[in-house]
């Protein structure tokens, strides 16, 4: 017996026949449940999650996007359709539903970075300090005095993604306007642009990208 | 009593094991029901009500999902704060997807700051402002100063020109928001901080 037996005991079994099935099922329940959860026999926190592993619902074995009712929200993983490999990209998404519509949004950043610049002349490659998620560091670079190309490793599913961007600059009193603007969005890259040149070496930019 | 996966024993007779079996079934129902709709519910059995991520030193952190998976897990930072992280299986990239700190603040004239709005105040110990600087202080510090900050201005009752709103002076203790005319009228800011 190698897999969980969900049809034991049979009506005509006697206990001596079913005992091993009973015990195997109890052991299996404890172990399988324990993959993501604190186990049934955990003395302190039984039933809570240690982690939550989401299997791609766009994989052949997946069930597709979840079906929800009006009083539910479903968190699920779904592969970006544009690129299957190099690298495989699974997004964490939420499905909201109400009486009007069903909406799906990305809830974990699809791409993210906290970066600054190595020098002041273009093209100057970027220097990353914090998270670098799904950004091709070998290609992303400053392409002018006020424009920064950020290229995805795995393309976005479409160009309806949204970008949350913020400058960090301690140059108090600088005349430079450094609010980053998102321009030229494609499935492969986007640009962050500022109206005029800035002293890059002393400034850093945070961004998170969420797929729609 | 905790769940006992060793029951029933091979030489048990049903009258011996009945209490253990009953206890285990009951325990399965209770434990599964902590985060899920319990087995014994009449509807929606097996669905989640919530997912409580409990950090445990004994559990490998971060986990190692396979290529077709993404895993949410709790991450303990150096200052005893549990963060919500995700790790992508294909690349093992990690990103914090639950903000480390959130604030919704109102800057009032005369350099005062109103009570944090709508109880949206997470891991912010205090704040103050002048005409061109808002200073935010964390309750629990991040691991280092390389965190991400996003600031979005909200209602600006004084219709002041805020100039370039930017983040400055990031340290493990807090950060500043720079601009101008912060002491004119009532100005709102929405602030999200993500730890590395």
């Amino acid at each position: 017996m190698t897999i969980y037996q969900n049809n034991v005991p049979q009506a005509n079994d006697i206990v001596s026949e079913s005992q091993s099935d009973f015990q195997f099922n109890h052991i299996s329940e404890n172990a399988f449940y324990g993959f993501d959860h604190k186990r049934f026999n955990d003395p302190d926190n039984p039933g809570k999650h240690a982690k939550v592993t989401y299997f791609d619902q766009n994989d052949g074995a997946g069930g597709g996007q979840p079906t929800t009712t009006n009083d539910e929200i479903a968190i699920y993983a779904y592969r970006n359709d544009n690129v299957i490999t190099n690298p495989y990209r699974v997004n964490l998404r939420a499905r909201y539903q109400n009486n009007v519509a069903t909406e799906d949004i990305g809830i974990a950043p699809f791409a993210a970075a906290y970066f600054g610049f190595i020098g002041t002349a273009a093209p100057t490659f970027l220097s990353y300090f914090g998270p670098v998620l799904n950004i091709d560091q070998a290609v992303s670079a400053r392409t002018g005095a006020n424009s920064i190309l950020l290229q995805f490793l795995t393309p976005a599913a479409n160009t309806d993604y949204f970008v949350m961007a913020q400058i960090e600059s301690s140059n108090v009193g600088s005349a430079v306007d450094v609010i980053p603007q998102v321009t030229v969005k494609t499935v492969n890259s986007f640009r962050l642009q500022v109206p005029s040149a800035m002293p890059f070496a002393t400034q850093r930019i945070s961004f998170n990208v969420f797929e729609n | 009593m905790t769940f006992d996966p060793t029951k029933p024993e091979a030489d048990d007779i049903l009258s011996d094991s009945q209490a253990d079996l009953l206890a285990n079934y009951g325990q399965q129902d209770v434990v599964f029901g902590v985060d899920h709709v319990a087995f014994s519910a009449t509807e929606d059995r097996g669905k989640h009500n919530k997912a409580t991520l409990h950090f445990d030193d004994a559990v490998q952190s971060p986990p190692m999902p396979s290529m077709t998976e993404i895993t949410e897990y709790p991450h303990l930072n150096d200052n005893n704060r549990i963060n919500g992280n995700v790790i992508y299986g294909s690349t093992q990239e990690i990103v914090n997807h639950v903000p480390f700190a959130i604030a919704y603040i109102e800057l009032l004239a005369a350099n005062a700051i109103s009570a944090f709005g709508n109880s949206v105040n997470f891991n912010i110990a205090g704040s103050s402002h002048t005409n061109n600087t808002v200073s935010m202080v964390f309750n629990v510090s991040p691991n280092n100063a390389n965190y991400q900050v996003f600031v979005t201005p909200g209602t600006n009752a004084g219709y002041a020109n805020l100039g370039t709103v930017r983040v400055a002076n990031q340290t493990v203790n807090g950060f500043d928001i720079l601009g101008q005319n912060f002491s004119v009228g009532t100005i709102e800011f929405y602030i999200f901080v993500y730890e590395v």
Side-chain angles (χ1 to χ4, degrees):
Chain A
M1 184 169 64
T2 56
I3 61 173
Y4 185 87
Q5 301 295 301
N6 61 359
N7 62 346
V8 293
Q10 295 290 298
N12 58 351
D13 282 355
I14 59 175
V15 174
S16 60
E17 292 174 336
S18 298
Q19 185 272 337
S20 61
D21 291 330
F22 268 131
Q23 188 182 66
F24 180 84
N25 276 357
H26 278 157
I27 293 170
S28 297
E29 288 161 7
N30 203 36
F32 297 160
Y33 184 76
F35 179 75
D36 269 355
H37 305 80
K38 305 299 287 183
R39 294 188 177 201
F40 285 114
N41 63 345
D42 186 275
D44 300 319
N45 294 287
K48 293 183 179 177
H49 288 76
K51 55 185 169 56
V52 185
T53 306
Y54 296 93
F55 185 78
D56 181 15
Q57 296 302 296
N58 198 20
D59 180 272
Q65 290 174 300
T67 300
T68 54
T69 62
N70 287 340
D71 55 357
E72 293 177 343
I73 178 173
I75 311 298
Y76 66 102
Y78 205 76
R79 186 192 64 228
N80 178 337
D81 270 333
N82 278 14
V83 176
I84 305 302
T85 58
N86 296 324
Y88 197 101
R89 181 67 60 184
V90 183
N91 292 318
L92 192 62
R93 302 179 65 78
R95 167 160 288 200
Y96 297 86
Q97 184 168 330
N98 55 35
N99 293 323
V100 178
T102 299
E103 298 171 290
D104 291 277
I105 64 166
I107 60 171
F110 166 75
Y114 174 64
F115 69 92
F117 300 86
I118 295 172
T120 57
T124 302
F125 288 95
L126 314 183
S127 181
Y128 296 88
F129 304 99
V132 185
L133 170 69
N134 195 27
I135 294 297
D136 190 340
Q137 297 178 61
V139 175
S140 296
R142 190 171 64 183
T143 52
N146 64 343
S147 180
I148 306 151
L149 170 74
L150 293 149
Q151 180 156 314
F152 301 127
L153 283 169
T154 300
N158 53 57
T159 57
D160 291 334
Y161 56 86
F162 60 97
V163 181
M164 180 187 288
Q166 181 74 51
I167 193 86
E168 188 227 343
S169 169
S170 298
N171 290 345
V172 181
S174 167
V176 178
D177 188 346
V178 290
I179 295 175
Q181 300 174 38
V182 179
T183 63
V184 198
K185 282 200 304 182
T186 75
V187 295
N188 296 310
S189 66
F190 67 95
R191 288 182 189 276
L192 287 179
Q193 187 166 322
V194 294
S196 56
M198 55 182 175
F200 292 106
T202 60
Q203 296 173 325
R204 298 179 180 183
I205 293 175
S206 290
F207 68 82
N208 281 345
V209 183
F210 296 86
E211 277 203 305
N212 197 354
Chain B
M1 179 177 180
T2 59
F3 183 84
D4 186 350
T6 69
K7 301 300 179 185
E9 301 284 351
D11 57 354
D12 283 356
I13 59 174
L14 187 54
S15 60
D16 289 339
S17 299
Q18 188 273 337
D20 291 328
L21 290 170
L22 182 65
N24 275 354
Y25 283 129
Q27 203 53 26
Q28 288 172 12
D29 197 42
V30 170
V31 171
F32 187 75
V34 169
D35 274 356
H36 308 79
V37 179
F39 293 129
S40 59
T42 55
E43 296 179 331
D44 299 319
R45 293 176 292 270
K47 293 182 178 178
H48 280 78
N49 284 319
K50 55 185 169 53
T52 307
L53 302 179
H54 182 84
F55 181 81
D56 188 339
D57 286 331
V59 176
Q60 183 186 21
S61 184
M64 307 254 314
S66 65
M67 187 180 76
T68 59
E69 296 173 341
I70 181 172
T71 300
E72 283 183 296
Y73 69 99
H75 171 68
L76 181 67
N77 87 352
D78 293 339
N79 297 304
N80 209 31
R81 164 81 58 178
I82 299 292
N83 291 325
N85 280 8
V86 297
I87 179 167
Y88 289 82
S90 58
T91 58
Q92 301 297 310
E93 293 166 300
I94 294 171
V95 68
N96 182 208
H97 84 308
V98 178
F100 174 77
I102 296 175
Y104 165 52
I105 61 174
E106 289 180 320
L107 311 184
L108 305 179
N111 297 339
I113 292 181
S114 75
F116 292 99
N118 300 328
S119 299
V120 181
N121 170 28
F122 167 58
N123 197 27
I124 297 294
S127 57
S128 59
H129 81 93
T130 63
N131 194 49
N132 58 11
T133 302
V134 182
S135 296
M136 307 293 292
V137 178
F138 296 125
N139 189 8
V140 177
S141 294
N143 279 338
N144 54 57
N146 292 332
Y147 49 85
Q148 296 176 301
V149 182
F150 299 98
V151 178
T152 301
T155 299
N156 181 349
Y159 298 102
N161 173 12
L162 303 180
T164 298
V165 176
R166 58 192 172 189
V167 177
N169 305 318
Q170 286 189 208
T171 73
V172 295
N173 298 314
F175 59 91
D176 293 336
I177 302 168
L178 305 184
Q180 64 186 26
N181 295 322
F182 286 170
S183 300
V184 177
T186 299
I187 302 163
E188 296 178 342
F189 282 114
Y190 300 88
I191 302 162
F192 294 82
V193 182
Y194 293 86
E195 199 183 22
V196 176

